[in-house]
Amino acid sequence: MPPPRVIAPFHGEHNHRKCLDQAMQRAEAACLQQGVRLTELRRQVLSLVWENHSPTRAYDILARLKEKGRRPAPPTAYRALEFLRSAGLVHRIESLNAYVGCADPMVGHSSQFFICDRCDAVAEVHDTGVTEHLTRNAERLGLHTARHTVEIHGICTRCYHNDQT
Amino acid sequence: MPPPRVIAPFHGEHNHRKCLDQAMQRAEAACLQQGVRLTELRRQVLSLVWENHSPTRAYDILARLKEKGRRPAPPTAYRALEFLRSAGLVHRIESLNAYVGCADPMVGHSSQFFICDRCDAVAEVHDTGVTEHLTRNAERLGLHTARHTVEIHGICTRCYHNDQT
DNA sequence: GATAGAAGTGTTATACTGTAACAACCCTGC
DNA sequence: GCAGGGTTGTTACAGTATAACACTTCTATC
């Protein structure tokens, strides 16, 4: 069994400009491959989700779109987010009603999310062991699985240490 | 490692009256042990959650409480549900904004929920293998875990067969 | 290039989910 | 009795999400 694959680590030191550019490039490629349209609005929303690695809420998107000159109503954001989600470009964090960008949209994967409740950082991990374990349980219960929601909440090391001092 | 423990199966044939009574009895015992008060309101809310094995939403609770003669506002339901959750008597299904009763409140466990998106049936499973797997990943990432949300959606066998016919 | 249909976006209105803040009540221990 | 904490009632509002329909833009086909 392959080891857990960390799609996005906590607080990874990186050039975020590059990170964002790469995400947008991969999104273009993924949409091309899937034969769906990455319109200007969807591109804008995706780049807003990718502004940082914390979960972004729909109404945050709306506020940012306003700053960019649009006058969007809620459906505008929700529709774009739903498109991005169905294209595998963002994930929805159910326990936060929020979205994070997916750094690896080309593989259809069911990921696990590790979330710091203090600083909102999110790490995405693809551990096939967990997935298989859950799938096996589902089969035993007679559930034809459609999707997994696996979200682990806690305090990340950095915040944990800050609390001690 | 102990085998996955199925707390509540799909469509388990059972005398639900007995099922409900047992849940209420266990709740009384659990509250006694924890030194917290299972008031009349909380008892009512718990029994409403236990009316069936599908997730119950807060506003459903409110509607039912109205039928029972109260004139409750949202905080009434949310506070009772939060109390029941913190006492381990109900679980919140994040992906549905809803609550299910916990059949085994005495053990502090992080469960996995298997949910049929057609008939809303929920099965609760306590598989320590999954929990350990996730905890190990959390440690590797440096997350001091507080809680797990593991919710598997799909179509249960019964609904799946009904769809074929 | 005209044009019909599909896909995408704008707009209005509203439904659903959840909490802050303060008042009133009632249990318990002294 | 009565002080204090816990519980519930009440009002108001914040945050999340979707239905329904109008309008625009894209695409494929002729």
Side-chain angles (χ1 to χ4, degrees):
Chain A
M1 188 181 294
R5 174 149 171 247
V6 177
I7 310 284
F10 284 123
H11 309 303
E13 299 295 332
H14 67 302
N15 177 342
H16 191 63
R17 177 78 229 170
K18 200 169 162 185
C19 181
L20 173 61
D21 288 347
Q22 190 181 51
M24 297 307 293
Q25 274 175 31
R26 289 187 175 171
E28 299 282 357
C31 287
L32 201 63
Q33 186 186 316
Q34 295 175 45
V36 295
R37 285 165 51 198
L38 188 61
T39 63
E40 185 50 31
L41 172 66
R42 291 166 176 174
R43 212 173 268 121
Q44 280 185 11
V45 171
L46 182 60
S47 73
L48 289 172
V49 170
W50 269 104
E51 271 194 0
N52 56 55
H53 292 273
S54 298
T56 306
R57 289 165 303 167
Y59 278 71
D60 292 339
I61 299 283
L62 282 171
R64 298 305 194 85
L65 286 177
K66 277 209 184 73
E67 292 170 7
K68 293 199 173 193
R70 292 182 185 259
R71 263 189 319 112
T76 298
Y78 282 103
R79 283 190 292 229
L81 288 167
E82 173 51 25
F83 168 84
L84 296 170
R85 200 202 50 70
S86 73
L89 302 175
V90 303
H91 293 290
R92 180 178 157 83
I93 308 293
E94 298 289 349
S95 54
L96 297 176
N97 300 328
Y99 300 79
V100 292
C102 175
D104 199 351
M106 303 303 269
V107 277
H109 54 224
S110 37
S111 304
Q112 299 91 46
F113 297 94
F114 296 81
I115 303 157
C116 176
D117 290 330
R118 187 84 84 243
C119 70
D120 278 342
V122 173
E124 178 178 354
V125 173
H126 185 210
D127 185 340
T128 53
V130 171
T131 306
E132 282 172 19
H133 218 128
L134 293 173
T135 302
R136 207 155 48 236
N137 282 346
E139 278 169 9
R140 187 154 29 206
L141 289 163
L143 187 79
H144 297 73
T145 303
R147 64 188 173 96
H148 293 187
T149 297
V150 181
E151 299 167 6
I152 316 304
H153 287 260
I155 306 291
C156 74
T157 304
R158 185 190 284 183
C159 290
Y160 192 79
H161 286 150
N162 285 347
D163 282 3
Q164 307 300 308
T165 58
Chain B
M1 187 181 297
R5 177 152 170 244
V6 177
I7 310 283
F10 284 123
H11 308 302
E13 299 296 332
H14 67 301
N15 178 341
H16 191 62
R17 177 76 229 172
K18 199 168 161 184
C19 181
L20 172 61
D21 287 347
Q22 190 181 51
M24 297 308 293
Q25 273 175 31
R26 288 187 176 171
E28 298 283 356
C31 287
L32 201 62
Q33 186 185 316
Q34 295 175 46
V36 294
R37 285 166 52 199
L38 188 59
T39 63
E40 183 50 31
L41 171 68
R42 291 165 177 175
R43 212 173 268 121
Q44 280 184 12
V45 170
L46 182 59
S47 72
L48 289 171
V49 170
W50 269 104
E51 272 196 357
N52 55 56
H53 293 272
S54 298
T56 306
R57 289 165 302 168
Y59 278 71
D60 291 339
I61 298 284
L62 281 171
R64 298 305 195 85
L65 287 177
K66 278 207 184 74
E67 293 170 6
K68 294 198 173 195
R70 290 182 186 261
R71 259 187 324 110
T76 298
Y78 282 103
R79 284 190 292 229
L81 288 167
E82 173 52 25
F83 168 85
L84 295 171
R85 200 202 51 68
S86 73
L89 302 175
V90 304
H91 293 290
R92 180 177 157 84
I93 308 294
E94 297 289 348
S95 54
L96 297 177
N97 300 328
Y99 300 80
V100 291
C102 177
D104 199 351
M106 303 302 270
V107 277
H109 54 224
S110 37
S111 305
Q112 299 91 46
F113 297 94
F114 296 81
I115 303 156
C116 175
D117 289 329
R118 188 84 83 241
C119 70
D120 277 340
V122 173
E124 178 178 354
V125 173
H126 186 209
D127 185 340
T128 52
V130 171
T131 306
E132 282 172 18
H133 218 128
L134 292 172
T135 302
R136 207 155 47 235
N137 281 346
E139 277 169 10
R140 187 153 29 204
L141 289 163
L143 187 78
H144 297 73
T145 302
R147 63 186 172 97
H148 292 186
T149 297
V150 181
E151 300 167 6
I152 316 306
H153 287 260
I155 306 290
C156 75
T157 303
R158 185 191 284 182
C159 290
Y160 191 79
H161 286 150
N162 286 347
D163 282 4
Q164 306 299 308
T165 57

